[in-house]
Each structure stands twice: as structure tokens, then as C-alpha cells.
Amino acid sequence: MSGRTEGGAKDRDAADNPFGPRSLAVALALTPLLPTRAFAHASDRGHVLLLPTGYYIAGGALAVAVSFLVLALLPPSALDRFWRKRLPLLAFGDGPRTIVSLFSFAGFALLVAAGLFGSRDPLSNPLPLVIWTLLWAGFTLLQGVIGDLWSWLNPWYGPWRIAVRVLGLRGDGKRSPRLPKWLGFWPAFVLFFAFAWFELIDPAPDDPARLALATGAYWLVSFIAMLAFGYSDWSRRGEFLTVFFSMVARFAPLQREEGQLSLCWPGAKLLAAEPLPPSGTAFLLLALSSVSFDGLSKTFFWLDLFGINPLEFPGRTALIGIGSFGLVLTFLLLAAVFALAVFLGQRLAGDAQPFGKTAGLLVWSIVPIALAYHIAHYLTVLLVDGQYALVAFSDPFALGWNLFGTADMEVEAGVVAGAESAWWLWNCQAGVIIAGHVLAVLVAHGLAWRMHPQPSRAALSQSPLTLLMIAYTIFGLWLLATPTAG
């Protein structure tokens, strides 16, 4: 939840910043030396780094470059054995899945009711805190670290199973109507873009009643689509949360096949993925570009491009047009650069495979980067607003309840404030971004070896994509370090 409501906890005025517009260049130049305060994206109060930022950026870029060189020298067979290792854990079936989903639906219904009838304060009402903090910020982390929990916890599967039996529908049988194949992932892409626009551009996505209507309507539309096209078809290509979470879960070290749960290396499941169609490629690139734009849109650099004084942040309503333009532009630029990197790689390696197939396979290497950006960007939100969520759960309808004994808990914002907290927080964020890019290079090489058994051709095909990853590492670390407003 990063700056969503004007006048809310995230849209505070930056008037206490000691820099004027004319001294901005000097301030940025002295950032590594001066302990100067500034607002940072995705947090109530951040800090311009007390660290040698230039060294961190250079070190991160070097780490990605060195990982590429090391992988280019290693024999493919050694890495193939590394990726294929599995440790069996336990076996379990899908029996409780319907019950778990029904409980999830009941919780979702209570949250919507709280949004409509509870507190108007986004930091006291559990609905915005669950949607933006626990679900979007926190649950994405769980999907990437643990595995596909969403297939059990989503609020559609259980109600759909009951509706199919009660209404006598054909469920996911072969004779059920299907989404046209040519649609691909475009329904999920359009819905994800609408979600990103609502989160980043809409004037008041934190407003509990507004959010309750939006989430309730989305649940109903998706449920009708599942009844019409089958749960599997719509959830795999139309319901954007399921599509996004399932893609992120491919990075997780837990794998479940035919009821058997096993442990694998992080990212190993990405190497076995089938090439995505152009719509799936666009979906993954949108997932990365939307989070990147969330950080970029609040930087002094971005606001200055449109003649906006960052020290007099005008609020979200005044920036709807600029924000919409930026959200589209960021996606188009990333898509164009990614396509160019894939095209140049094909030319260097003499790859005769269709461009769409190569791009659809290599785009899976974006998953570690998208997950890393998500974690780094929303870490401060999760640490602070997660505490507000614990408070709100005890009194969801603002009636003075204390259901779980946390209603009077004092929220500690010091976890993201102060020089010491800023030091460990930024090191954690920077480390996550660098690790994500290094893992992306590792996955990209594994995917390249699927197409080019010769190590030299595989390395050549990945050279442009590696340069893109190095550039994105620099961009991500710059976003963490640069002053932001709002």
C-alpha cells in the first residue's frame, strides 16, 4: 500500500525535506556522505542512504556480470544435475482443498462487509490492510518462498465446487465451454492492468467502501466466468491473481506432483516450464513493469519531467493522466527492450526458432526479478502496515471489540525509521534485488541450454539478456536510493 489515498498515511507532504529544487543535484551527489532525510517509496518514512550507494550499484552490476561469466564456463551437464535434484517430503491429497477455500471465502465476505460497514480509516479497517498489505505484498512472498498456497486459499474454488453440484453443471468436463484458445492470457492481462491502475493511479484505492465494491464485483465476475468456462480454464488464463501467483510459485523450492511434495532448488521448476504465448509473456512483463513504475512514479526525477515540484506533491488526483501514461510507457519500454535482447540473442547464436517461442521461454527468467522487486518494494509496507492489520482484526467493524487481544497493540513504526533501521532495511532490499538478478541469470542460462546444447551458443544467446539484467539491477538499486515524494 504505497501512497494510495490523498491525505492518508502514505500521501504526506514532503515539506520537511531540507532540500529545495535548485539544490537537488547537490543533494543527490552528496547522498552517500550526508545523513539526510527523504521520503522513500513504499514506506511512511524512509531515508536517503547513509551508505556508499555508488559502490552498491557497481557491486550489484558486477555480481550479475560475474555470475554470467561463471555459468558460461561451467559444463551444462553439471548444472543439469544440480537442477534435477529432488528431496521427497510427504504425500497428501486434495480432499481438504474445498473446505479450506470455503473458509477463505467466508473470511473474504466478512472483509467486504467490514469495508462497507466498518471504519472509514484505511489503517483501521481490515479490508485495505488485507488486500494491499497481507495479500498483495505478503502473500506474494509466501508464494515465492513456500509454493502454490493460493490454489488452496483462493475464495473461488470451494463455492464453485458447491455451485457445480447444486446447479448440475458439467464442471471442468471435456464438453464444458472453453475460452477461445486465441485469447491466451489476454483476459488476465487486461484484468491485471486494471488492478495495477486501481492500485497505483486511482485517487482512493484505500477507501474501504470503494475497495469493498471493487473486490466484491471482481469476485462475482470471476465466479460467473468460472461457471461459464470451467474453473480450470478461467483460473489459468483469466483470473489474474491465480495466473500471477502460479507463475511466482514456480520459483518456490517446494514442488507438488501427483500428490507428492518434494524439495527442489529455487527456480528449478522454471526450467521445466513450457514457452508462454505472447499474451503470457506480456503478462509477466507487466507484473515487473507495474512494480517498477510504482517506485519510479514518486521519484523527484519522474515528477521533475512533468514540471512538478516534488516538495509540493499535488496528490494522486492531479496525477491521474501522468500516472496512466507512465504505467503504459513503462510496460512498453520494458517489453521493447526485452524483445530487442531476445532478438539480438537469436542473431548472435544463429537461432532459427520462432521469435515468439524463444521469448516465451526466456521470459520465465523474469520471475526471480519480479519476485525480488516485489519483496524489496513492499518490505516496509509489510513491516508497518502488517502491524495495523493485527490491530484491525480484533475490531473489524469499529465497534470496540477486542477479539484477538490486539486492538490496543501499539504500532511500532521504528522498524523502518532511524539510521540503524535504514541501514539494515536497505541492505536487505539491495541484497534481495541483486540475488534476484543473479538467480535470473542462472535460470536464463538453463533455459538457453534447452534451446542450444552447445555452451558457446547458449552463452552468446544470453549476452544481450544479461546486459538487460545488469541495467535493471542498476535501475532497481537507484530506485531504492533516490529521494521520493508523496
Side-chain angles (χ1 to χ4, degrees), residues 340-351:
L340 179 62
V342 173
F343 174 77
L344 292 177
Q346 283 189 298
R347 295 296 297 270
L348 288 173
D351 186 3

Side-chain angles (χ1 to χ4, degrees), residues 61 64-69 341 437 441 444-445 459 461-473:
V64 177
V66 169
S67 64
F68 168 79
L69 294 176
H437 284 81
V441 171
H445 270 72
S461 71
Q462 291 310 294
S463 300
L465 191 59
T466 300
L467 291 176
L468 171 60
M469 292 177 180
I470 291 173
Y472 226 87
T473 302

Side-chain angles (χ1 to χ4, degrees), residues 9-385:
K10 303 295 181 287
D11 268 351
R12 295 198 175 116
D13 194 289
D16 62 337
N17 192 302
F19 294 136
R22 295 184 180 180
S23 59
L24 177 57
V26 177
L28 291 176
L30 296 178
T31 292
L33 304 176
L34 298 178
T36 306
R37 280 182 169 183
F39 285 95
H41 64 281
S43 64
D44 277 32
R45 170 75 70 177
H47 293 79
V48 173
L49 301 182
L50 312 178
L51 305 169
T53 312
Y55 294 150
Y56 274 72
I57 291 177
L62 183 62
V64 177
V66 169
S67 64
F68 168 79
L69 294 176
V70 171
L71 290 171
L73 298 175
L74 288 175
S77 57
L79 282 175
D80 185 62
R81 289 193 299 269
F82 170 83
W83 285 118
R84 289 180 180 274
K85 289 184 177 180
R86 298 290 189 273
L87 177 63
L89 297 177
L90 53 91
F92 62 93
D94 282 338
R97 184 180 173 192
T98 300
I99 297 175
V100 172
S101 178
L102 287 173
F103 274 109
S104 177
F105 169 70
F108 172 75
L110 287 174
L111 287 172
V112 171
L116 293 173
F117 308 110
S119 170
R120 300 296 90 196
D121 180 6
L123 291 180
S124 299
N125 193 297
L127 178 63
L129 293 167
V130 168
I131 296 297
W132 301 124
T133 303
L134 300 185
L135 177 64
W136 186 236
F139 197 78
T140 301
L141 172 61
L142 292 179
Q143 285 282 117
V145 173
I146 298 178
D148 193 12
L149 300 174
W150 181 251
S151 63
W152 285 60
L153 290 174
N154 81 77
W156 288 284
Y157 181 74
W160 173 81
R161 287 290 301 271
I162 292 177
V164 166
R165 290 195 175 188
V166 171
L167 300 177
L169 301 178
R170 291 172 293 186
D172 281 340
K174 294 182 179 180
R175 293 181 297 172
S176 301
R178 297 289 182 181
L179 281 174
K181 188 175 181 180
W182 60 266
L183 275 178
F185 290 86
W186 289 121
F189 177 90
V190 171
L191 291 171
F192 193 5
F193 184 86
F195 170 81
W197 189 95
F198 183 72
E199 180 202 10
L200 305 178
I201 314 300
D202 187 86
D206 271 351
D207 178 70
R210 187 182 184 89
L211 184 59
L213 293 174
T215 54
Y218 178 70
W219 184 93
L220 183 59
V221 169
S222 295
F223 186 66
I224 293 174
M226 289 172 182
L227 292 178
F229 301 109
Y231 174 84
S232 296
D233 216 26
W234 183 255
S235 62
R236 289 174 182 170
R237 295 196 287 143
E239 202 286 289
F240 78 91
L241 283 174
T242 302
V243 174
F244 174 74
F245 285 143
S246 64
M247 289 180 173
V248 169
R250 280 187 172 272
F251 178 79
L254 288 177
Q255 181 179 17
R256 182 172 178 264
E257 288 184 343
E258 299 179 354
Q260 176 67 48
L261 190 67
S262 59
L263 193 64
C264 61
W265 293 109
K269 292 178 290 185
L270 294 171
L271 298 181
E274 294 298 319
L276 288 170
S279 55
T281 302
F283 183 92
L284 260 179
L285 293 174
L286 177 62
L288 176 57
S289 66
S290 61
V291 177
S292 299
F293 177 70
D294 190 10
L296 177 65
S297 64
K298 299 171 184 64
T299 62
F300 284 16
F301 168 79
W302 174 261
L303 295 173
D304 185 60
L305 288 178
F306 300 94
I308 298 172
N309 185 346
L311 304 183
E312 297 177 359
F313 189 71
R316 292 169 65 103
T317 302
L319 301 179
I320 289 179
I322 295 172
S324 301
F325 167 76
L327 184 61
V328 174
L329 179 65
T330 306
F331 166 73
L332 292 177
L333 286 177
L334 178 60
V337 175
F338 175 78
L340 179 62
V342 173
F343 174 77
L344 292 177
Q346 283 189 298
R347 295 296 297 270
L348 288 173
D351 186 3
Q353 298 186 63
F355 170 81
K357 180 180 179 181
T358 302
L361 185 62
L362 292 178
V363 77
W364 285 113
S365 65
I366 294 293
V367 171
I369 299 177
L371 180 61
Y373 268 85
H374 203 97
I375 295 171
H377 183 73
Y378 291 109
L379 180 58
T380 51
V381 173
L382 193 58
L383 291 174
V384 177
D385 288 359

